[in-house]
Amino acid sequence: MFKLKDLSRVNVDALTDEEVLRYRDQFRASGISETQAEQLAIQKGLPSSELLKLKARITKLENLGPGKVTAPPIKRGVDTVLPIRERREEDQDTVKSLIFGSELFRNNNLSFEPNLRIASPRNYTLGPDDEVLIDVYGYQEVNYRLTVSPEGTIVIPYVGVITVSGSTIEQATVRIKDRMSRNGYASLRSGQSKLVINVGKIKSIRVTVVGEAKRPGSYTVSGLSNMFNALYAAGGITDRGSFRTIQLVRSGKVIDTLDAYDFLLRGDLSHNSGLMDQDVILIPVSEALVEVRGEVKRPGIYEILPTENLNDLFRFTGGFGNEAYTAGIHVEQVTDKERQLRDVSKNEFATFNPGRGDIVYVDKILDKFVNRVTIRGAIMRPGAYELTPGLTIGGLIRRAEGLREDALKDRIIILRSREDMTVEYIPVQVNEVLAGRENDLPLRKEDVVTIASVFDFKENYTVTIQGEVRKPGVYRYVDSATLKDLLFEAGGLTDAAAPQQIEIARRLNSDTITANDQRVSQIIEVASERDLRVRGNEVKIAPWDIVIVRTKLGYKPQVTVRLDGEVQYPGIYVLQTKDDRISDIISRAGGLTPQANLQGAYLSRINVSEREKDANIDRVKKVQEMSRDTTDSLVKQVTKPLVKIGLDLDKILKAPHQGEDMMLQEGDVLNVGRHTFEVKINGEVLFPTQVVFRPGADVRYYIDKAGGFAENAVRKRTYVLYANGYAAKTRKFLFFKNYPEVKPGSEILVPLKPERKGGLSTGELIGLTSGLATILTLIITLTR
């Protein structure tokens, strides 16, 4: 009776290819028609839309052919190998992937197809539809291509009918040679001619695969096919089938038994017998599946024969892993009523036969040593060593090639574990042990011997040197070091150093505190010599000293500025005094050229220091928080590397050292522009352009020359940018606009009206209300 489980929850898109084919086989195995199968599936709850998807996927997979079905990835490892009893119906794909040999017929690169281009095997059995090639060469020559008839015979011209069906090529050759030598080919008997028999076109045979095949049925295969070819054509073996006892049945008798493990483990194909027409391959159900978990090279599920033991099972897994505990294993068994656990020792592996459903657990070795001792610290070769019988502390030290020179010999510590896993410290006076004046203590396993260094109990003292030395910084304190030693290590004094003005700030180290003592350090003033040779007085250095070398009173580094543009001698200039100003440098440069633009000069100055920059950024961010400004434009302005300062050279040169005549700093660049008579008009005008300067003309004149304001122009915010960097904006008084003055070299900029988002702002509403009130007042006045 055909039974089908409830299909109401089937999601065809979520099914694997193997599950789709399983549904197809289940329908076909029922013996009902396709239409009846579809009606039955709908009765079992399968929606018609899912039925259409299922039929489409079945057709697609059948068109792909054998071996093209996709399968879930094979998972390995202890965590993925669940006990067999915990397998659930929806987890069957995982079960299949863990059964050893299941991947054999899912490998698209392993098709087992016979090679039809090789020489005909001499043991090949001839049958109907085989093409027999007969070649005679030598004294007599003749070639025949003859097809074996359904009766199993061939007809050789002038020789007659010969029966070859059921004979191997070797047997057929003897028979054909005998008949031909007695019928016109006597040279074959004398050896003057030779006879060669081959097979041309191979016949097709019909074989049947039954039992636990994924697609049981009859298949037409090549006459050179073997058992693996037929198994591959049938889709392989189900998860219930046996890989170990696959039988070849011919004429009702089992003539060979194939064990796939022979091929998988040793590449042995001796039992992969060739097939004949009407052969039957029977795949029985596996007798016992045993699961192996833990520290083996191939964890998984293996089929075990009744005569095989644990050693055979571990041979199937590839052996134990690198950290396997091989002294014994655990076996979880299934009895008639319940489960039981067996502990199997190593000497029982050869006699213990696993049974159905057994789970074999192979544990890891313990993370501990049976004969290890460790020595560390001030020893020549610290590390772990073998605990040999009678090994003592002295013997271990000698094995580690002795103590280092800095070893603390008065006391070493042995860390020892007691029987209850608590630890204890055992102090030893190692110098007495090595001298033989004290008994040498024997060591136990896992003892840890620690030998301290004298430097472990000393603080890492340092000294600091700052000021006019070549390599200021923090240096390690060395006993008996002097000031000259520290200066030598710091690279000596710089040219700006004042050797007679050196201070040493020393840390106070007193055992008492008085109310009148407010000192935080001791200041020592010393005078050193530039000569660092070993002569003269030496000043001792103490730990934590801070040495400061002052700068000479009269030492001043040169300050350089640069002049560019319309001066007589542009270039680099060095300031003579701190008070040198713009007019002084222009004077030293020979004055301005006739083409210089007095209103087109500016000074580029390096921005403030990093500390001041950080403080300015903090102030800008606070302003942005108050104004809810989330842009970074203000921060970029504050942090730009250079600032541009506009100058009026006319005023500076007329009144030197006064007003705008700025004092210069290191890195300043004074740029004097060339006098030009053009005015640029850019922004929201119809045609941005340049216009020749016209004395007395205002902004409106130049805007007209550019075609007038564009539609989106903000006229009231038009501003003029002058050649020296100054800018002037348009001012409004009542209904009148006061445009700024235009000078030669200026640029008129007309901004774009911003896009309005949402309704009117508060200011716009007030302005609109005020305008309406004014208009209303005028209307009332005119009507009176």
Side-chain angles (χ1 to χ4, degrees):
M1 180 67 181
F2 175 60
K3 296 181 179 180
L4 194 68
K5 67 178 183 178
D6 177 50
L7 299 177
S8 60
R9 297 183 180 180
V10 172
N11 181 3
V12 176
D13 293 333
L15 296 177
T16 64
D17 293 344
E18 289 186 347
E19 290 172 335
V20 170
L21 294 178
R22 194 181 308 129
Y23 277 114
R24 180 203 63 182
D25 296 339
Q26 194 173 9
F27 281 121
R28 291 181 178 177
S30 64
I32 60 178
S33 66
E34 183 176 351
T35 303
Q36 291 174 330
E38 292 176 6
Q39 292 175 352
L40 180 59
I42 294 175
Q43 290 175 4
K44 291 292 183 178
L46 184 67
S48 57
S49 58
E50 295 297 315
L51 177 62
L52 293 175
K53 290 182 183 179
L54 184 61
K55 291 175 63 178
R57 287 194 61 182
I58 291 174
T59 303
K60 180 180 178 181
L61 292 173
E62 289 180 337
N63 291 335
L64 289 176
K68 302 299 183 180
V69 179
T70 60
I74 298 174
K75 299 179 181 178
R76 297 292 186 195
V78 178
D79 294 337
T80 61
V81 185
L82 298 175
I84 298 175
R85 66 174 185 271
E86 296 180 9
R87 307 296 185 191
R88 295 177 297 175
E89 183 178 355
E90 57 268 29
D91 196 32
Q92 288 302 305
D93 289 331
T94 304
V95 177
K96 296 174 192 175
S97 68
L98 292 172
I99 296 176
F100 182 68
S102 61
E103 68 272 16
L104 180 63
F105 299 101
R106 292 203 303 267
N107 189 345
N108 295 335
N109 297 321
L110 187 65
S111 64
F112 297 103
E113 293 180 1
N115 189 351
L116 302 179
R117 304 185 64 179
I118 62 174
S120 302
R122 308 314 294 171
N123 61 350
Y124 175 73
T125 302
L126 296 172
D129 294 332
D130 277 339
E131 185 181 53
V132 180
L133 306 180
I134 302 175
D135 293 317
V136 178
Y137 63 94
Y139 182 76
Q140 292 178 288
E141 292 187 358
V142 67
N143 305 102
Y144 296 117
R145 300 176 69 92
L146 306 174
T147 301
V148 180
S149 68
E151 292 77 18
T153 62
I154 59 173
V155 179
I156 303 176
Y158 309 110
V159 175
V161 178
I162 303 175
T163 300
V164 295
S165 180
S167 303
T168 64
I169 293 178
E170 189 173 2
Q171 293 170 341
T173 301
V174 174
R175 188 176 302 172
I176 293 171
K177 182 178 179 180
D178 180 65
R179 289 287 301 275
M180 292 183 71
S181 63
R182 289 188 286 108
N183 292 277
Y185 295 92
S187 60
L188 290 174
R189 187 182 301 276
S190 63
Q192 293 176 306
S193 298
K194 302 294 183 182
L195 172 66
V196 177
I197 303 296
N198 284 303
V199 179
K201 294 180 180 178
I202 304 295
K203 65 179 179 294
S204 296
I205 61 175
R206 192 75 172 170
V207 296
T208 303
V209 183
V210 295
E212 294 300 322
K214 290 186 177 179
R215 295 193 295 272
S218 296
Y219 294 89
T220 300
V221 296
S222 166
L224 290 176
S225 298
N226 50 42
M227 295 178 70
F228 269 129
N229 300 141
L231 291 172
Y232 187 81
I237 302 171
T238 67
D239 56 303
R240 301 179 301 274
S242 172
F243 285 82
R244 309 292 308 279
T245 57
I246 306 170
Q247 298 175 352
L248 175 60
V249 181
R250 184 174 295 162
S251 300
K253 296 182 180 179
V254 177
I255 65 169
D256 203 353
T257 300
L258 173 65
D259 187 347
Y261 280 21
D262 292 339
F263 170 67
L264 292 170
L265 297 173
R266 302 193 305 273
D268 182 6
L269 290 172
S270 58
H271 290 277
N272 185 26
S273 300
L275 301 177
M276 296 183 64
D277 193 39
Q278 301 305 316
D279 277 354
V280 176
I281 296 176
L282 173 62
I283 306 173
V285 176
S286 60
E287 292 188 21
L289 291 178
V290 177
E291 183 175 2
V292 184
R293 303 184 66 184
E295 292 301 312
V296 292
K297 293 180 180 178
R298 280 194 300 263
I301 301 172
Y302 294 85
E303 183 181 351
I304 293 293
L305 300 180
T307 59
E308 291 175 335
N309 53 43
L310 283 176
N311 284 333
D312 297 317
L313 178 62
F314 293 135
R315 178 169 54 84
F316 298 158
T317 66
F320 292 104
N322 295 331
E323 297 186 356
Y325 177 77
T326 60
I329 61 160
H330 309 292
V331 181
E332 184 180 328
Q333 294 183 313
V334 178
T335 67
D336 294 337
K337 294 183 179 181
E338 54 192 359
R339 303 185 184 95
Q340 68 178 8
L341 190 66
R342 288 281 305 274
D343 292 333
V344 184
S345 63
K346 184 176 182 179
N347 55 11
E348 296 178 285
F349 287 177
T351 59
F352 186 89
N353 299 104
R356 62 177 179 85
D358 283 359
I359 305 173
V360 177
Y361 297 92
V362 181
D363 294 331
K364 275 188 175 183
I365 58 174
L366 299 176
D367 191 16
K368 60 184 300 185
F369 290 84
V370 298
N371 63 341
R372 179 181 66 175
V373 291
T374 305
I375 187 168
R376 61 190 183 187
I379 193 76
M380 289 298 183
R381 292 189 178 276
Y385 289 86
E386 177 188 1
L387 176 61
T388 54
L391 183 64
T392 62
I393 293 177
L396 180 60
I397 291 174
R398 285 188 290 271
R399 191 181 295 182
E401 298 191 7
L403 303 174
R404 289 205 315 249
E405 292 79 0
D406 60 320
L408 185 66
K409 301 177 182 179
D410 294 334
R411 185 184 182 93
I412 67 172
I413 294 295
I414 300 176
L415 180 65
R416 175 167 294 174
S417 298
R418 299 190 183 100
E419 294 297 332
D420 60 355
M421 300 306 294
T422 60
V423 295
E424 63 176 332
Y425 284 108
I426 303 175
V428 177
Q429 203 167 2
V430 70
N431 54 349
E432 298 294 326
V433 170
L434 296 178
R437 294 188 293 270
E438 188 173 306
N439 291 332
D440 201 352
L441 184 67
L443 295 174
R444 299 179 185 175
K445 70 173 184 178
E446 296 297 347
D447 277 355
V448 179
V449 180
T450 303
I451 301 174
S453 169
V454 293
F455 298 112
D456 295 338
F457 301 95
K458 287 186 177 181
E459 193 170 0
N460 294 323
Y461 297 133
T462 61
V463 291
T464 305
I465 185 167
Q466 300 174 351
E468 297 298 335
V469 291
R470 299 185 187 280
K471 294 183 290 185
V474 179
Y475 293 86
R476 185 182 64 175
Y477 171 75
V478 180
D479 289 340
S480 71
T482 66
L483 176 60
K484 284 188 177 181
D485 296 329
L486 182 58
L487 291 173
F488 180 84
E489 196 166 356
L493 303 174
T494 66
D495 292 338
Q500 67 279 8
Q501 291 293 328
I502 299 178
E503 286 184 359
I504 301 176
R506 182 158 296 170
R507 181 177 293 183
L508 296 177
N509 189 4
S510 177
D511 295 333
T512 60
I513 300 175
T514 62
N516 297 327
D517 191 356
Q518 300 297 323
R519 296 179 302 164
V520 294
S521 65
Q522 179 185 0
I523 304 299
I524 304 172
E525 295 184 356
V526 297
S528 180
E529 300 177 354
R530 287 188 175 276
D531 188 358
L532 298 180
R533 288 182 295 176
V534 183
R535 63 183 182 84
N537 296 327
E538 297 282 359
V539 179
K540 294 289 185 180
I541 296 297
W544 314 118
D545 278 356
I546 299 177
V547 179
I548 302 173
V549 181
R550 304 295 180 189
T551 306
K552 292 178 184 177
L553 290 176
Y555 183 83
K556 301 295 179 185
Q558 296 93 329
V559 177
T560 60
V561 296
R562 191 174 84 239
L563 268 68
D564 290 337
E566 297 301 321
V567 293
Q568 296 291 345
Y569 301 103
I572 301 295
Y573 287 85
V574 179
L575 302 185
Q576 291 180 335
T577 69
K578 294 181 180 179
D579 298 332
D580 276 1
R581 299 174 181 258
I582 294 173
S583 59
D584 299 324
I585 295 301
I586 292 178
S587 176
R588 288 171 58 188
L592 304 176
T593 66
Q595 293 79 25
N597 185 0
L598 297 179
Q599 280 76 38
Y602 60 88
L603 184 71
S604 294
R605 175 163 289 175
I606 299 173
N607 206 348
V608 294
S609 65
E610 290 296 323
R611 183 181 301 175
E612 293 173 337
K613 182 174 72 175
D614 293 341
N616 287 337
I617 291 175
D618 291 339
R619 286 193 290 268
V620 168
K621 288 183 177 179
K622 288 181 180 179
V623 172
Q624 286 183 310
E625 290 176 2
M626 295 174 62
S627 60
R628 298 181 181 179
D629 181 8
T630 58
T631 64
D632 59 351
S633 57
L634 285 177
V635 175
K636 288 182 178 179
Q637 290 293 326
V638 171
T639 57
K640 62 183 180 180
L642 295 174
V643 293
K644 187 175 179 181
I645 304 172
L647 303 174
D648 188 344
L649 288 184
D650 190 21
K651 293 182 179 179
I652 291 174
L653 296 179
K654 288 181 179 178
H657 287 246
Q658 297 180 15
E660 297 185 13
D661 196 4
M662 299 173 57
M663 288 188 290
L664 298 174
Q665 299 178 7
E666 173 69 36
D668 282 352
V669 178
L670 177 60
N671 193 298
V672 181
R674 187 180 183 85
H675 193 72
T676 178
F677 288 93
E678 292 83 20
V679 175
K680 297 179 182 178
I681 306 98
N682 285 316
E684 294 305 308
V685 293
L686 292 181
F687 300 102
T689 185
Q690 292 186 15
V691 179
V692 176
F693 174 73
R694 178 179 177 182
D698 62 4
V699 170
R700 289 171 296 184
Y701 166 80
Y702 297 101
I703 294 295
D704 290 341
K705 292 296 184 182
F709 291 105
E711 182 178 355
N712 293 328
V714 184
R715 304 186 183 190
K716 62 182 179 180
R717 295 184 182 176
T718 301
Y719 62 95
V720 178
L721 182 65
Y722 298 108
N724 63 354
Y726 286 165
K729 66 178 181 179
T730 301
R731 298 184 179 276
K732 184 178 180 181
F733 178 73
L734 295 180
F735 298 102
F736 303 99
K737 293 185 181 69
N738 292 328
Y739 291 105
E741 180 186 2
V742 180
K743 298 179 180 180
S746 300
E747 182 177 5
I748 300 173
L749 296 173
V750 181
L752 172 66
K753 184 184 298 182
E755 294 184 4
R756 180 168 298 174
K757 298 180 181 180
L760 298 175
S761 64
T762 303
E764 290 172 331
L765 288 173
I766 295 173
L768 179 60
T769 304
S770 176
L772 291 174
T774 304
I775 295 172
L776 182 59
T777 303
L778 290 173
I779 292 173
I780 294 172
T781 303
L782 292 174
T783 54
R784 286 181 177 176

